[in-house]
Amino acid sequence: EAGVAQSPRYKIIEKRQSVAFWCNPISGHATLYWYQQILGQGPKLLIQFQNNGVVDDSQLPKDRFSAERLKGVDSTLKIQPAKLEDSAVYLCASSLDPQSYEQYFGPGTRLTVT
Amino acid sequence: KNQVEQSPQSLIILEGKNCTLQCNYTVSPFSNLRWYKQDTGRGPVSLTIMTFSENTKSNGRYTATLDADTKQSSLHITASQLSDSASYICVVSAIGGSYIPTFGRGTSLIVHP
């Protein structure tokens, strides 16, 4: 079974630039999560999708972050404009459904904002 | 407010020794508790999952315990190996709503030869 795929693996941008991350969840997984993990901390949930609908985005900085999951499969997370404090690893995870105990994580995208 | 606190923040042990990591939580109502291992530069990988009725769960050299009354969990690693060097993250989910998980900050474990 293929795992959660993410790209790019690394990205370096200057502040005020924009960036987009892509995630392809495990086939058949209806629930998709985006997390932000700052160095030395645990992951922080940014947004949770159920199919192509948003379940929770209460911690997503909506003035600069946006995410979509068209057709309920792949998802993209965008930051525009980026700030220095956005430097982090962005993890995508998927699960069969919200009640599923098991979340499967991708390798993450390491973003550095200079 | 739902919170998960882990201790110690970091731990250094010698190869072959045992160690125990702690997780205290205030998440309510409790649904499940998971321990993840996160190698440097990789996403977290699940080690154990426990629900309210389970008080111990093993996965090879990893054994997790859960005391739902005191809201505490521990992860015991037996006969540590160099490959155990990683961050160990405790995650607790509440029942209902969208089952949003609450993550701890993790314990960084370094195993020296």
Side-chain angles (χ1 to χ4, degrees):
Chain A
E1 171 181 88
V4 176
Q6 289 187 248
S7 68
R9 289 297 313 277
Y10 306 92
K11 190 73 177 179
I12 301 174
I13 62 172
E14 295 181 350
K15 59 183 179 184
R16 290 186 289 275
Q17 285 187 323
S18 63
V19 65
F21 312 128
W22 173 82
C23 172
N24 179 236
I26 292 174
S27 177
H29 281 196
T31 309
L32 185 146
Y33 311 79
W34 281 103
Y35 293 90
Q36 180 192 58
Q37 186 174 25
I38 293 173
L39 186 64
Q41 298 183 19
K44 181 184 84 170
L45 180 68
L46 293 176
I47 189 167
Q48 177 182 342
F49 290 96
Q50 178 66 15
N51 295 310
N52 60 352
V54 175
V55 173
D56 187 284
D57 63 357
S58 57
Q59 298 192 94
L60 186 74
K62 298 179 185 64
D63 58 333
R64 297 183 301 105
F65 285 64
S66 64
E68 60 182 10
R69 192 184 182 197
L70 300 177
K71 301 180 181 179
V73 181
D74 293 3
S75 177
T76 56
L77 176 69
K78 297 179 182 178
I79 306 175
Q80 182 180 9
K83 293 185 175 181
L84 295 177
E85 57 261 37
D86 297 333
S87 294
V89 174
Y90 291 85
L91 294 165
C92 179
S94 70
S95 64
L96 281 172
D97 52 55
Q99 293 83 359
S100 174
Y101 299 156
E102 188 67 78
Q103 286 187 28
Y104 296 85
F105 285 83
T109 295
R110 180 175 296 278
L111 174 67
T112 301
V113 182
T114 63
Chain B
K1 179 181 178 182
N2 290 334
Q3 288 187 314
V4 175
E5 300 289 338
Q6 291 188 242
S7 63
Q9 185 175 343
S10 61
L11 183 62
I12 300 174
I13 62 174
L14 292 176
E15 186 178 13
K17 298 295 186 182
N18 303 335
C19 67
T20 300
L21 314 180
Q22 300 291 343
C23 173
N24 297 339
Y25 62 91
T26 60
V27 177
S28 181
F30 177 85
S31 172
N32 65 84
L33 184 146
R34 289 164 275 164
W35 282 96
Y36 284 90
K37 177 187 179 187
Q38 186 174 24
D39 292 315
T40 301
R42 298 198 163 194
V45 174
S46 180
L47 293 175
T48 63
I49 301 171
M50 289 184 291
T51 59
F52 184 86
S53 60
E54 298 172 298
N55 55 23
T56 187
K57 185 73 72 80
S58 291
N59 178 358
R61 295 180 296 102
Y62 301 101
T63 299
T65 64
L66 173 66
D67 186 333
D69 291 330
T70 62
K71 298 186 178 180
Q72 296 179 326
S73 175
S74 65
L75 180 69
H76 186 75
I77 304 175
T78 304
S80 61
Q81 300 176 359
L82 298 180
S83 59
D84 292 332
S85 295
S87 179
Y88 292 84
I89 303 173
C90 177
V91 184
V92 185
S93 295
I95 293 174
S98 51
Y99 294 83
I100 302 298
T102 302
F103 284 72
R105 295 169 70 96
T107 291
S108 176
L109 174 66
I110 298 175
V111 181
H112 279 162

